[in-house]
Amino acid sequence: MGKYLGETLTLREVRARFWGKAEQDESDLRWIASRRERNQGITGNYVFELKDGSFICAEDGDKSGWCRFMNHATEGSAECNVKAFDQQTIGGELTIPYFYAIRDIAVGEELCYDYGEFFYK
């Protein structure tokens, strides 16, 4: 279906840039300034947690794709119709998650996957 594109961030960066739970360093301040200069958001609403403990932020429209617009549904619920492929290492590089349908999806139906444990924090 699609690839979740964006910037790869560490947990420390996510905590500092979005959650206010870590002190911002110079790189965080440059990152925030760059987002503001380009009229890109800094809400953290498009952060996807990877299996290695890092995150992908797809809020920056200049660096992301359409998958950032999929919505949340708890895995196992009737509304959850999409799942991410497990993150893998290929040639020493971690791959970006791809999404696939886990059931037939009707025309016009909302695409939903489970955002993970940090969605509610």
Side-chain angles (χ1 to χ4, degrees), residues 35-61:
R35 287 278 183 102
R36 287 187 175 143
E37 288 168 7
R38 296 179 297 113
N39 293 317
Q40 299 296 324
I42 54 172
T43 66
N45 290 339
Y46 297 93
V47 174
F48 185 93
E49 180 186 6
L50 302 176
K51 290 186 180 280
D52 70 352
S54 64
F55 298 80
I56 295 178
C57 175
E59 189 165 6
D60 187 333

Side-chain angles (χ1 to χ4, degrees), residues 50-52 85-97:
L50 302 176
K51 290 186 180 280
D52 70 352
F85 278 108
D86 290 340
Q87 184 184 20
Q88 302 174 11
T89 302
I90 299 175
E93 297 274 329
L94 287 173
T95 62
I96 303 300

Side-chain angles (χ1 to χ4, degrees), residues 73-107:
T74 303
E75 190 170 336
S77 70
E79 294 81 20
C80 188
N81 54 18
V82 175
K83 187 168 178 110
F85 278 108
D86 290 340
Q87 184 184 20
Q88 302 174 11
T89 302
I90 299 175
E93 297 274 329
L94 287 173
T95 62
I96 303 300
Y98 282 82
F99 291 92
Y100 63 96
I102 57 175
R103 63 170 175 77
D104 290 340
I105 300 172
V107 173

Side-chain angles (χ1 to χ4, degrees), residues 6-80:
E7 298 174 89
T8 302
L9 302 174
T10 65
L11 178 57
R12 190 216 60 81
E13 289 168 328
V14 170
R15 289 173 53 88
R17 296 174 185 184
F18 301 121
W19 299 344
K21 295 188 176 186
E23 188 173 332
Q24 293 178 339
D25 64 17
E26 191 60 36
S27 69
D28 298 321
L29 298 175
R30 283 193 309 272
W31 179 88
I32 291 168
S34 170
R35 287 278 183 102
R36 287 187 175 143
E37 288 168 7
R38 296 179 297 113
N39 293 317
Q40 299 296 324
I42 54 172
T43 66
N45 290 339
Y46 297 93
V47 174
F48 185 93
E49 180 186 6
L50 302 176
K51 290 186 180 280
D52 70 352
S54 64
F55 298 80
I56 295 178
C57 175
E59 189 165 6
D60 187 333
D62 294 338
K63 299 179 181 183
S64 63
W66 69 268
C67 286
R68 70 187 177 135
F69 296 113
M70 289 192 288
N71 291 306
H72 172 74
T74 303
E75 190 170 336
S77 70
E79 294 81 20
C80 188

